[in-house]
């Protein structure tokens, strides 16, 4: 199997020679880590089985979260503790995409921009769901930031897993959402846009945002997303334990270029594209997040400050279920 590390081994020396001086430290770090991951550069461990004395040597991992070999491991460990807090409810999946006009502002201001985007998306969902015409309670939102398309273009968007119901203000009642509806998407798109604009004005008054971003409708999708723990696990696997590209999607490598496969949206078929080596590196690196930035965040009922309410909601939901469904 060809790995991102193999691509870097071939093209990184030249790429660094050409662009190294102007590159972000986080990007240089990602290259160095991915190159060293599970090689002798990081050393290793000799494992011996107590029973049969068989020995196996394994190299250490780089633990960089942009590394396709390390990312899933790390995220999984981090989220493991949170699984117990997930609710046995139905779920919805909401995706919010930033219009093209705002992409460069986000690229240049990732730390503030990504935080504002995730918060605006989650708070808009929570605010609309509180309306008694929709849910009438506080829903939980697990938001995850993606910055890519299948071909690694820069395309920031947020995936939100939303509980299909919410707790009343005093925490004593669970209000379930309807089967196939949680909030109206057009109203949601407008509200996200307004919240994002206000948040940028408050937090970064120095930035001039293009007017065109506020006059066009934003792209928001909402679908029903399964039920219970399995729904949460599916969501985590599909959206949270992800980096821009998996090694499995790299299908060719030669002296000039990398060939990757990607799913064509309209036909839903796999296609391949050949990307020149340096262009692949540039595209890959634009998805390396600033150090310490949380790409997974909890809001509403899942906000850490509401843990008690979430625990009560879980109890309400369990009591609510018919005995056979337990
Ligand atoms: Zn690694
Ligand atoms: Zn995505």
């Amino acid at each position: 199997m060809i790995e991102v590390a193999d691509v870097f081994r071939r093209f990184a020396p030249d790429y660094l020679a050409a662009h190294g001086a102007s590159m972000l430290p986080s990007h240089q770090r990602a290259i160095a880590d991915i190159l060293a991951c599970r090689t002798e550069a990081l050393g290793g461990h000799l494992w011996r089985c107590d029973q049969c004395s068989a020995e196996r040597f394994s190299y250490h991992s780089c633990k960089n979260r942009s590394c396709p070999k390390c990312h899933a491991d790390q995220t999984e460990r981090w989220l493991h503790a949170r699984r117990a807090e997930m609710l046995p409810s139905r779920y919805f999946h909401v995706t919010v995409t930033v219009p093209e006009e705002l992409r460069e502002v986000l690229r240049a201001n990732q730390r503030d921009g990504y935080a504002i985007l995730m918060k605006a998306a989650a708070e808009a969902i929570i605010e609309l769901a509180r309306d008694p015409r929709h849910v009438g309670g506080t829903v939980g939102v697990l938001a995850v930031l993606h910055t890519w398309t299948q071909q690694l273009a820069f395309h920031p968007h947020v995936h939100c897993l939303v509980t299909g119901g919410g707790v009343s203000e005093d925490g004593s009642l669970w209000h379930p959402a309807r089967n196939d509806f949680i909030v109206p998407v057009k109203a949601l798109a407008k509200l996200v846009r307004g919240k994002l604009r206000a948040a940028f004005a408050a937090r970064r008054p120095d930035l001039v945002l293009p007017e065109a971003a506020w006059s066009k409708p934003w792209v928001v999708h909402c679908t029903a997303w399964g039920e219970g723990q399995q729904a949460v696990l599916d969501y985590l696997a599909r959206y949270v334990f992800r980096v821009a590209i998996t090694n499995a999607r790299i299908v060719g490598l030669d002296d000039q270029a990398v060939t990757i496969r990607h799913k064509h949206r309209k036909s839903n078929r796999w296609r391949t594209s050949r990307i020149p080596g340096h262009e692949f590196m540039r595209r890959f690196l634009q998805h390396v997040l600033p150090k310490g930035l949380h790409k997974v965040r909890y809001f509403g009922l899942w906000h850490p400050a509401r843990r008690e309410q979430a625990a009560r909601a879980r109890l309400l939901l369990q009591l609510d279920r018919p005995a056979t469904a337990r």
Side-chain angles (χ1 to χ4, degrees):
M1 185 170 77
I2 304 163
E3 299 180 342
V4 169
D6 299 317
V7 178
F8 281 15
R9 241 163 247 133
R10 187 154 312 189
F11 299 110
D14 274 0
Y15 190 87
L16 286 166
H19 308 291
S22 61
M23 276 171 66
L24 292 170
S26 57
H27 291 190
Q28 299 189 359
R29 181 84 255 161
I31 295 178
D33 285 348
I34 290 170
L35 282 172
C37 187
R38 297 185 200 168
T39 68
E40 58 197 15
L42 294 181
H45 253 85
L46 187 65
W47 302 94
R48 176 180 282 149
C49 173
D50 288 344
Q51 311 299 319
C52 72
S53 304
E55 286 182 344
R56 191 171 73 84
F57 185 80
S58 75
Y59 287 122
H60 290 156
S61 309
C62 75
K63 300 196 168 66
N64 190 303
R65 62 175 167 166
S66 299
C67 172
K69 282 184 210 152
C70 295
H71 173 267
D73 271 11
Q74 271 195 307
T75 321
E76 194 148 11
R77 225 172 300 138
W78 183 78
L79 279 167
H80 193 78
R82 315 305 302 263
R83 279 193 192 151
E85 292 166 26
M86 296 302 165
L87 298 167
S89 71
R90 281 184 293 111
Y91 288 94
F92 287 82
H93 177 213
V94 179
T95 314
V96 174
T97 304
V98 177
E100 188 184 345
E101 289 84 354
L102 287 178
R103 282 184 206 148
E104 288 316 307
V105 177
L106 281 184
R107 189 202 290 278
N109 302 277
Q110 296 185 15
R111 214 174 273 280
D112 285 338
Y114 291 156
I116 287 172
L117 169 63
M118 294 175 82
K119 194 159 184 239
E123 286 185 347
I125 294 168
I126 291 163
E127 188 176 315
L128 273 181
R130 261 192 201 131
D131 186 324
R133 288 172 301 170
H134 308 320
V135 176
T138 303
V139 294
V141 177
L142 193 173
V144 55
L145 173 74
H146 283 183
T147 56
W148 53 79
T149 65
Q150 286 245 318
Q151 296 193 68
L152 307 180
F154 186 69
H155 192 267
H157 58 280
V158 182
H159 294 277
C160 297
L161 182 72
V162 185
T163 55
V167 287
S168 57
E169 208 35 62
D170 63 0
S172 68
L173 284 172
W174 175 259
H175 295 285
R178 276 167 266 168
N179 277 345
D180 53 356
F181 173 88
I182 185 146
V183 291
V185 283
K186 274 195 186 149
L188 178 61
K190 252 190 177 161
L191 193 57
V192 175
R193 188 177 70 185
K195 282 185 180 293
L196 185 131
R197 187 180 195 178
F200 262 110
R203 191 149 159 183
R204 294 296 304 272
D206 56 309
L207 294 177
V208 182
L209 303 178
E211 276 306 311
W214 317 121
S215 51
K216 67 193 277 189
W218 285 26
V219 179
V220 170
H221 291 287
C222 178
T223 52
W225 182 271
E227 184 163 353
Q229 179 148 13
Q230 194 53 45
V232 177
L233 295 178
D234 289 347
Y235 176 82
L236 296 177
R238 191 139 167 208
Y239 297 105
V240 178
F241 304 143
R242 277 291 164 100
V243 284
I245 187 163
T246 51
N247 287 331
R249 283 209 291 126
I250 305 178
V251 293
L253 174 64
D254 58 48
D255 283 341
Q256 272 87 45
V258 187
T259 306
I260 64 168
R261 64 188 171 94
H262 52 90
K263 213 160 226 162
H264 184 248
R265 260 221 184 154
K266 287 198 180 112
S267 64
N268 202 32
R269 292 219 172 110
W270 287 104
R271 292 191 177 171
T272 56
S273 45
R274 199 174 133 83
I275 305 170
H278 281 207
E279 173 60 12
F280 178 91
M281 298 222 36
R282 186 194 71 80
R283 288 195 205 174
F284 182 90
L285 291 170
Q286 61 189 349
H287 308 296
V288 172
L289 296 174
K291 192 165 185 244
L293 185 124
H294 295 296
K295 66 162 199 170
V296 184
R297 300 181 190 209
Y298 295 89
F299 297 91
L301 185 54
W302 277 334
H303 189 276
R306 283 187 188 251
R307 234 166 242 176
E308 264 174 48
Q309 272 198 2
R312 186 131 36 119
R314 196 162 42 252
L315 206 64
L316 288 169
L317 275 163
Q318 279 157 354
L319 292 173
D320 221 27
R321 295 190 142 196
T324 49
R326 265 178 221 175

